[in-house]
mmCIF file with all atom_site columns, all heavy atoms in Angstrom:
data_model
loop_
_atom_site.group_PDB
_atom_site.id
_atom_site.type_symbol
_atom_site.label_atom_id
_atom_site.label_alt_id
_atom_site.label_comp_id
_atom_site.label_asym_id
_atom_site.label_entity_id
_atom_site.label_seq_id
_atom_site.pdbx_PDB_ins_code
_atom_site.Cartn_x
_atom_site.Cartn_y
_atom_site.Cartn_z
_atom_site.occupancy
_atom_site.B_iso_or_equiv
_atom_site.pdbx_formal_charge
_atom_site.auth_seq_id
_atom_site.auth_comp_id
_atom_site.auth_asym_id
_atom_site.auth_atom_id
_atom_site.pdbx_PDB_model_num
ATOM 1   N N   . TYR A 1 55 ? 42.201 6.687   31.345 1.00 0.00 ? 204 TYR A N   1
ATOM 2   C CA  . TYR A 1 55 ? 42.957 5.883   30.429 1.00 0.00 ? 204 TYR A CA  1
ATOM 3   C C   . TYR A 1 55 ? 42.347 6.004   29.048 1.00 0.00 ? 204 TYR A C   1
ATOM 4   O O   . TYR A 1 55 ? 41.249 6.345   28.896 1.00 0.00 ? 204 TYR A O   1
ATOM 5   C CB  . TYR A 1 55 ? 42.983 4.422   30.827 1.00 0.00 ? 204 TYR A CB  1
ATOM 6   C CG  . TYR A 1 55 ? 43.725 4.120   32.213 1.00 0.00 ? 204 TYR A CG  1
ATOM 7   C CD1 . TYR A 1 55 ? 42.972 4.048   33.335 1.00 0.00 ? 204 TYR A CD1 1
ATOM 8   C CD2 . TYR A 1 55 ? 45.034 3.982   32.230 1.00 0.00 ? 204 TYR A CD2 1
ATOM 9   C CE1 . TYR A 1 55 ? 43.518 3.850   34.558 1.00 0.00 ? 204 TYR A CE1 1
ATOM 10  C CE2 . TYR A 1 55 ? 45.658 3.731   33.482 1.00 0.00 ? 204 TYR A CE2 1
ATOM 11  C CZ  . TYR A 1 55 ? 44.897 3.650   34.644 1.00 0.00 ? 204 TYR A CZ  1
ATOM 12  O OH  . TYR A 1 55 ? 45.524 3.359   35.803 1.00 0.00 ? 204 TYR A OH  1
ATOM 13  N N   . THR A 1 56 ? 43.169 5.643   28.067 1.00 0.00 ? 205 THR A N   1
ATOM 14  C CA  . THR A 1 56 ? 42.728 5.604   26.654 1.00 0.00 ? 205 THR A CA  1
ATOM 15  C C   . THR A 1 56 ? 43.094 4.265   26.054 1.00 0.00 ? 205 THR A C   1
ATOM 16  O O   . THR A 1 56 ? 44.125 3.743   26.232 1.00 0.00 ? 205 THR A O   1
ATOM 17  C CB  . THR A 1 56 ? 43.435 6.664   25.803 1.00 0.00 ? 205 THR A CB  1
ATOM 18  O OG1 . THR A 1 56 ? 43.179 7.980   26.371 1.00 0.00 ? 205 THR A OG1 1
ATOM 19  C CG2 . THR A 1 56 ? 43.012 6.656   24.394 1.00 0.00 ? 205 THR A CG2 1
ATOM 20  N N   . TYR A 1 57 ? 42.078 3.666   25.386 1.00 0.00 ? 206 TYR A N   1
ATOM 21  C CA  . TYR A 1 57 ? 42.256 2.440   24.707 1.00 0.00 ? 206 TYR A CA  1
ATOM 22  C C   . TYR A 1 57 ? 42.220 2.668   23.175 1.00 0.00 ? 206 TYR A C   1
ATOM 23  O O   . TYR A 1 57 ? 41.269 3.380   22.664 1.00 0.00 ? 206 TYR A O   1
ATOM 24  C CB  . TYR A 1 57 ? 41.169 1.401   25.084 1.00 0.00 ? 206 TYR A CB  1
ATOM 25  C CG  . TYR A 1 57 ? 41.214 0.174   24.245 1.00 0.00 ? 206 TYR A CG  1
ATOM 26  C CD1 . TYR A 1 57 ? 42.260 -0.764  24.372 1.00 0.00 ? 206 TYR A CD1 1
ATOM 27  C CD2 . TYR A 1 57 ? 40.181 -0.159  23.326 1.00 0.00 ? 206 TYR A CD2 1
ATOM 28  C CE1 . TYR A 1 57 ? 42.314 -1.948  23.668 1.00 0.00 ? 206 TYR A CE1 1
ATOM 29  C CE2 . TYR A 1 57 ? 40.187 -1.354  22.694 1.00 0.00 ? 206 TYR A CE2 1
ATOM 30  C CZ  . TYR A 1 57 ? 41.284 -2.223  22.778 1.00 0.00 ? 206 TYR A CZ  1
ATOM 31  O OH  . TYR A 1 57 ? 41.223 -3.435  22.084 1.00 0.00 ? 206 TYR A OH  1
ATOM 32  N N   . ASP A 1 58 ? 43.156 2.282   22.423 1.00 0.00 ? 207 ASP A N   1
ATOM 33  C CA  . ASP A 1 58 ? 43.385 2.602   21.031 1.00 0.00 ? 207 ASP A CA  1
ATOM 34  C C   . ASP A 1 58 ? 42.518 1.794   20.084 1.00 0.00 ? 207 ASP A C   1
ATOM 35  O O   . ASP A 1 58 ? 42.492 1.974   18.860 1.00 0.00 ? 207 ASP A O   1
ATOM 36  C CB  . ASP A 1 58 ? 44.850 2.549   20.564 1.00 0.00 ? 207 ASP A CB  1
ATOM 37  C CG  . ASP A 1 58 ? 45.675 3.561   21.309 1.00 0.00 ? 207 ASP A CG  1
ATOM 38  O OD1 . ASP A 1 58 ? 45.190 4.603   21.727 1.00 0.00 ? 207 ASP A OD1 1
ATOM 39  O OD2 . ASP A 1 58 ? 46.823 3.268   21.550 1.00 0.00 ? 207 ASP A OD2 1
ATOM 40  N N   . GLY A 1 59 ? 41.897 0.760   20.656 1.00 0.00 ? 208 GLY A N   1
ATOM 41  C CA  . GLY A 1 59 ? 41.045 -0.110  19.721 1.00 0.00 ? 208 GLY A CA  1
ATOM 42  C C   . GLY A 1 59 ? 41.811 -1.333  19.433 1.00 0.00 ? 208 GLY A C   1
ATOM 43  O O   . GLY A 1 59 ? 43.080 -1.423  19.436 1.00 0.00 ? 208 GLY A O   1
ATOM 44  N N   . GLY A 1 60 ? 41.124 -2.394  19.194 1.00 0.00 ? 209 GLY A N   1
ATOM 45  C CA  . GLY A 1 60 ? 41.773 -3.737  18.850 1.00 0.00 ? 209 GLY A CA  1
ATOM 46  C C   . GLY A 1 60 ? 40.759 -4.851  18.783 1.00 0.00 ? 209 GLY A C   1
ATOM 47  O O   . GLY A 1 60 ? 39.613 -4.649  18.564 1.00 0.00 ? 209 GLY A O   1
ATOM 48  N N   . SER A 1 61 ? 41.250 -6.082  18.984 1.00 0.00 ? 210 SER A N   1
ATOM 49  C CA  . SER A 1 61 ? 40.373 -7.196  18.936 1.00 0.00 ? 210 SER A CA  1
ATOM 50  C C   . SER A 1 61 ? 40.829 -8.248  19.886 1.00 0.00 ? 210 SER A C   1
ATOM 51  O O   . SER A 1 61 ? 41.965 -8.338  20.347 1.00 0.00 ? 210 SER A O   1
ATOM 52  C CB  . SER A 1 61 ? 40.350 -7.805  17.430 1.00 0.00 ? 210 SER A CB  1
ATOM 53  O OG  . SER A 1 61 ? 41.707 -8.248  17.135 1.00 0.00 ? 210 SER A OG  1
ATOM 54  N N   . LEU A 1 62 ? 39.827 -9.137  20.220 1.00 0.00 ? 211 LEU A N   1
ATOM 55  C CA  . LEU A 1 62 ? 40.061 -10.336 21.110 1.00 0.00 ? 211 LEU A CA  1
ATOM 56  C C   . LEU A 1 62 ? 39.380 -11.551 20.437 1.00 0.00 ? 211 LEU A C   1
ATOM 57  O O   . LEU A 1 62 ? 38.419 -11.489 19.717 1.00 0.00 ? 211 LEU A O   1
ATOM 58  C CB  . LEU A 1 62 ? 39.518 -10.101 22.427 1.00 0.00 ? 211 LEU A CB  1
ATOM 59  C CG  . LEU A 1 62 ? 40.003 -8.887  23.306 1.00 0.00 ? 211 LEU A CG  1
ATOM 60  C CD1 . LEU A 1 62 ? 39.177 -8.658  24.519 1.00 0.00 ? 211 LEU A CD1 1
ATOM 61  C CD2 . LEU A 1 62 ? 41.491 -9.151  23.664 1.00 0.00 ? 211 LEU A CD2 1
ATOM 62  N N   . THR A 1 63 ? 40.015 -12.706 20.756 1.00 0.00 ? 212 THR A N   1
ATOM 63  C CA  . THR A 1 63 ? 39.452 -13.944 20.274 1.00 0.00 ? 212 THR A CA  1
ATOM 64  C C   . THR A 1 63 ? 38.846 -14.683 21.360 1.00 0.00 ? 212 THR A C   1
ATOM 65  O O   . THR A 1 63 ? 39.463 -14.940 22.485 1.00 0.00 ? 212 THR A O   1
ATOM 66  C CB  . THR A 1 63 ? 40.520 -14.769 19.602 1.00 0.00 ? 212 THR A CB  1
ATOM 67  O OG1 . THR A 1 63 ? 41.109 -14.145 18.485 1.00 0.00 ? 212 THR A OG1 1
ATOM 68  C CG2 . THR A 1 63 ? 39.930 -16.155 19.098 1.00 0.00 ? 212 THR A CG2 1
ATOM 69  N N   . LEU A 1 64 ? 37.600 -15.167 21.241 1.00 0.00 ? 213 LEU A N   1
ATOM 70  C CA  . LEU A 1 64 ? 36.847 -15.999 22.206 1.00 0.00 ? 213 LEU A CA  1
ATOM 71  C C   . LEU A 1 64 ? 37.238 -17.396 22.163 1.00 0.00 ? 213 LEU A C   1
ATOM 72  O O   . LEU A 1 64 ? 37.524 -17.918 21.129 1.00 0.00 ? 213 LEU A O   1
ATOM 73  C CB  . LEU A 1 64 ? 35.376 -15.802 22.046 1.00 0.00 ? 213 LEU A CB  1
ATOM 74  C CG  . LEU A 1 64 ? 34.786 -14.367 22.033 1.00 0.00 ? 213 LEU A CG  1
ATOM 75  C CD1 . LEU A 1 64 ? 33.278 -14.408 21.661 1.00 0.00 ? 213 LEU A CD1 1
ATOM 76  C CD2 . LEU A 1 64 ? 35.038 -13.684 23.361 1.00 0.00 ? 213 LEU A CD2 1
ATOM 77  N N   . SER A 1 65 ? 37.226 -18.166 23.273 1.00 0.00 ? 214 SER A N   1
ATOM 78  C CA  . SER A 1 65 ? 37.452 -19.527 23.281 1.00 0.00 ? 214 SER A CA  1
ATOM 79  C C   . SER A 1 65 ? 36.191 -20.162 22.697 1.00 0.00 ? 214 SER A C   1
ATOM 80  O O   . SER A 1 65 ? 35.073 -19.757 22.792 1.00 0.00 ? 214 SER A O   1
ATOM 81  C CB  . SER A 1 65 ? 37.678 -20.067 24.699 1.00 0.00 ? 214 SER A CB  1
ATOM 82  O OG  . SER A 1 65 ? 38.734 -19.389 25.300 1.00 0.00 ? 214 SER A OG  1
ATOM 83  N N   . ALA A 1 66 ? 36.400 -21.372 22.082 1.00 0.00 ? 215 ALA A N   1
ATOM 84  C CA  . ALA A 1 66 ? 35.289 -22.095 21.534 1.00 0.00 ? 215 ALA A CA  1
ATOM 85  C C   . ALA A 1 66 ? 34.225 -22.446 22.548 1.00 0.00 ? 215 ALA A C   1
ATOM 86  O O   . ALA A 1 66 ? 34.618 -22.730 23.765 1.00 0.00 ? 215 ALA A O   1
ATOM 87  C CB  . ALA A 1 66 ? 35.859 -23.322 20.824 1.00 0.00 ? 215 ALA A CB  1
ATOM 88  N N   . GLY A 1 67 ? 32.983 -22.516 22.190 1.00 0.00 ? 216 GLY A N   1
ATOM 89  C CA  . GLY A 1 67 ? 31.906 -22.793 23.195 1.00 0.00 ? 216 GLY A CA  1
ATOM 90  C C   . GLY A 1 67 ? 31.818 -24.232 23.430 1.00 0.00 ? 216 GLY A C   1
ATOM 91  O O   . GLY A 1 67 ? 32.349 -25.186 22.694 1.00 0.00 ? 216 GLY A O   1
ATOM 92  N N   . GLU A 1 68 ? 31.029 -24.553 24.459 1.00 0.00 ? 217 GLU A N   1
ATOM 93  C CA  . GLU A 1 68 ? 30.607 -25.972 24.777 1.00 0.00 ? 217 GLU A CA  1
ATOM 94  C C   . GLU A 1 68 ? 29.123 -26.082 24.517 1.00 0.00 ? 217 GLU A C   1
ATOM 95  O O   . GLU A 1 68 ? 28.460 -25.195 24.224 1.00 0.00 ? 217 GLU A O   1
ATOM 96  C CB  . GLU A 1 68 ? 31.036 -26.324 26.200 1.00 0.00 ? 217 GLU A CB  1
ATOM 97  C CG  . GLU A 1 68 ? 32.585 -26.162 26.355 1.00 0.00 ? 217 GLU A CG  1
ATOM 98  C CD  . GLU A 1 68 ? 32.944 -26.542 27.807 1.00 0.00 ? 217 GLU A CD  1
ATOM 99  O OE1 . GLU A 1 68 ? 32.134 -27.147 28.552 1.00 0.00 ? 217 GLU A OE1 1
ATOM 100 O OE2 . GLU A 1 68 ? 34.079 -26.186 28.176 1.00 0.00 ? 217 GLU A OE2 1
ATOM 101 N N   . GLU A 1 69 ? 28.562 -27.307 24.821 1.00 0.00 ? 218 GLU A N   1
ATOM 102 C CA  . GLU A 1 69 ? 27.136 -27.433 24.661 1.00 0.00 ? 218 GLU A CA  1
ATOM 103 C C   . GLU A 1 69 ? 26.367 -26.707 25.618 1.00 0.00 ? 218 GLU A C   1
ATOM 104 O O   . GLU A 1 69 ? 25.205 -26.239 25.239 1.00 0.00 ? 218 GLU A O   1
ATOM 105 C CB  . GLU A 1 69 ? 26.871 -29.012 24.821 1.00 0.00 ? 218 GLU A CB  1
ATOM 106 C CG  . GLU A 1 69 ? 25.360 -29.282 24.530 1.00 0.00 ? 218 GLU A CG  1
ATOM 107 C CD  . GLU A 1 69 ? 25.069 -30.764 24.502 1.00 0.00 ? 218 GLU A CD  1
ATOM 108 O OE1 . GLU A 1 69 ? 26.009 -31.536 24.392 1.00 0.00 ? 218 GLU A OE1 1
ATOM 109 O OE2 . GLU A 1 69 ? 23.904 -31.155 24.566 1.00 0.00 ? 218 GLU A OE2 1
ATOM 110 N N   . LEU A 1 70 ? 26.925 -26.446 26.865 1.00 0.00 ? 219 LEU A N   1
ATOM 111 C CA  . LEU A 1 70 ? 26.196 -25.624 27.779 1.00 0.00 ? 219 LEU A CA  1
ATOM 112 C C   . LEU A 1 70 ? 26.587 -24.246 27.568 1.00 0.00 ? 219 LEU A C   1
ATOM 113 O O   . LEU A 1 70 ? 27.812 -23.893 27.218 1.00 0.00 ? 219 LEU A O   1
ATOM 114 C CB  . LEU A 1 70 ? 26.543 -26.135 29.178 1.00 0.00 ? 219 LEU A CB  1
ATOM 115 C CG  . LEU A 1 70 ? 26.052 -27.438 29.528 1.00 0.00 ? 219 LEU A CG  1
ATOM 116 C CD1 . LEU A 1 70 ? 26.470 -27.813 30.974 1.00 0.00 ? 219 LEU A CD1 1
ATOM 117 C CD2 . LEU A 1 70 ? 24.595 -27.655 29.469 1.00 0.00 ? 219 LEU A CD2 1
ATOM 118 N N   . GLU A 1 71 ? 25.683 -23.283 27.829 1.00 0.00 ? 220 GLU A N   1
ATOM 119 C CA  . GLU A 1 71 ? 25.909 -21.852 27.581 1.00 0.00 ? 220 GLU A CA  1
ATOM 120 C C   . GLU A 1 71 ? 26.836 -21.280 28.702 1.00 0.00 ? 220 GLU A C   1
ATOM 121 O O   . GLU A 1 71 ? 26.883 -21.726 29.795 1.00 0.00 ? 220 GLU A O   1
ATOM 122 C CB  . GLU A 1 71 ? 24.591 -21.165 27.675 1.00 0.00 ? 220 GLU A CB  1
ATOM 123 C CG  . GLU A 1 71 ? 24.656 -19.681 27.382 1.00 0.00 ? 220 GLU A CG  1
ATOM 124 C CD  . GLU A 1 71 ? 23.258 -19.027 27.468 1.00 0.00 ? 220 GLU A CD  1
ATOM 125 O OE1 . GLU A 1 71 ? 22.543 -19.484 28.319 1.00 0.00 ? 220 GLU A OE1 1
ATOM 126 O OE2 . GLU A 1 71 ? 22.932 -18.126 26.683 1.00 0.00 ? 220 GLU A OE2 1
ATOM 127 N N   . ARG A 1 72 ? 27.636 -20.316 28.268 1.00 0.00 ? 221 ARG A N   1
ATOM 128 C CA  . ARG A 1 72 ? 28.456 -19.558 29.239 1.00 0.00 ? 221 ARG A CA  1
ATOM 129 C C   . ARG A 1 72 ? 28.443 -18.094 28.792 1.00 0.00 ? 221 ARG A C   1
ATOM 130 O O   . ARG A 1 72 ? 28.087 -17.770 27.663 1.00 0.00 ? 221 ARG A O   1
ATOM 131 C CB  . ARG A 1 72 ? 29.974 -20.047 29.244 1.00 0.00 ? 221 ARG A CB  1
ATOM 132 C CG  . ARG A 1 72 ? 30.730 -19.573 28.080 1.00 0.00 ? 221 ARG A CG  1
ATOM 133 C CD  . ARG A 1 72 ? 32.226 -19.835 28.413 1.00 0.00 ? 221 ARG A CD  1
ATOM 134 N NE  . ARG A 1 72 ? 33.070 -19.125 27.399 1.00 0.00 ? 221 ARG A NE  1
ATOM 135 C CZ  . ARG A 1 72 ? 33.507 -19.601 26.285 1.00 0.00 ? 221 ARG A CZ  1
ATOM 136 N NH1 . ARG A 1 72 ? 33.247 -20.888 25.915 1.00 0.00 ? 221 ARG A NH1 1
ATOM 137 N NH2 . ARG A 1 72 ? 34.268 -18.879 25.480 1.00 0.00 ? 221 ARG A NH2 1
ATOM 138 N N   . PHE A 1 73 ? 28.782 -17.187 29.772 1.00 0.00 ? 222 PHE A N   1
ATOM 139 C CA  . PHE A 1 73 ? 28.819 -15.748 29.478 1.00 0.00 ? 222 PHE A CA  1
ATOM 140 C C   . PHE A 1 73 ? 30.296 -15.312 29.641 1.00 0.00 ? 222 PHE A C   1
ATOM 141 O O   . PHE A 1 73 ? 30.836 -15.533 30.738 1.00 0.00 ? 222 PHE A O   1
ATOM 142 C CB  . PHE A 1 73 ? 27.919 -14.949 30.362 1.00 0.00 ? 222 PHE A CB  1
ATOM 143 C CG  . PHE A 1 73 ? 26.456 -15.294 30.215 1.00 0.00 ? 222 PHE A CG  1
ATOM 144 C CD1 . PHE A 1 73 ? 25.791 -15.872 31.206 1.00 0.00 ? 222 PHE A CD1 1
ATOM 145 C CD2 . PHE A 1 73 ? 25.897 -15.126 28.925 1.00 0.00 ? 222 PHE A CD2 1
ATOM 146 C CE1 . PHE A 1 73 ? 24.410 -16.250 31.048 1.00 0.00 ? 222 PHE A CE1 1
ATOM 147 C CE2 . PHE A 1 73 ? 24.594 -15.587 28.805 1.00 0.00 ? 222 PHE A CE2 1
ATOM 148 C CZ  . PHE A 1 73 ? 23.820 -16.066 29.815 1.00 0.00 ? 222 PHE A CZ  1
ATOM 149 N N   . ASP A 1 74 ? 30.880 -14.626 28.646 1.00 0.00 ? 223 ASP A N   1
ATOM 150 C CA  . ASP A 1 74 ? 32.080 -14.056 28.704 1.00 0.00 ? 223 ASP A CA  1
ATOM 151 C C   . ASP A 1 74 ? 31.980 -12.585 28.851 1.00 0.00 ? 223 ASP A C   1
ATOM 152 O O   . ASP A 1 74 ? 30.971 -11.944 28.302 1.00 0.00 ? 223 ASP A O   1
ATOM 153 C CB  . ASP A 1 74 ? 32.988 -14.352 27.536 1.00 0.00 ? 223 ASP A CB  1
ATOM 154 C CG  . ASP A 1 74 ? 33.379 -15.737 27.485 1.00 0.00 ? 223 ASP A CG  1
ATOM 155 O OD1 . ASP A 1 74 ? 33.143 -16.578 28.459 1.00 0.00 ? 223 ASP A OD1 1
ATOM 156 O OD2 . ASP A 1 74 ? 33.920 -16.219 26.420 1.00 0.00 ? 223 ASP A OD2 1
ATOM 157 N N   . ALA A 1 75 ? 32.871 -11.862 29.637 1.00 0.00 ? 224 ALA A N   1
ATOM 158 C CA  . ALA A 1 75 ? 32.806 -10.455 29.722 1.00 0.00 ? 224 ALA A CA  1
ATOM 159 C C   . ALA A 1 75 ? 34.001 -9.831  28.968 1.00 0.00 ? 224 ALA A C   1
ATOM 160 O O   . ALA A 1 75 ? 35.153 -10.201 29.061 1.00 0.00 ? 224 ALA A O   1
ATOM 161 C CB  . ALA A 1 75 ? 32.901 -10.069 31.212 1.00 0.00 ? 224 ALA A CB  1
#
Side-chain angles (χ1 to χ4, degrees):
Y204 296 96
T205 299
Y206 174 66
D207 295 332
S210 61
L211 297 170
T212 299
L213 305 175
S214 300
E217 300 180 16
E218 184 172 346
L219 297 179
E220 186 181 36
R221 79 167 192 267
F222 298 119
D223 292 352

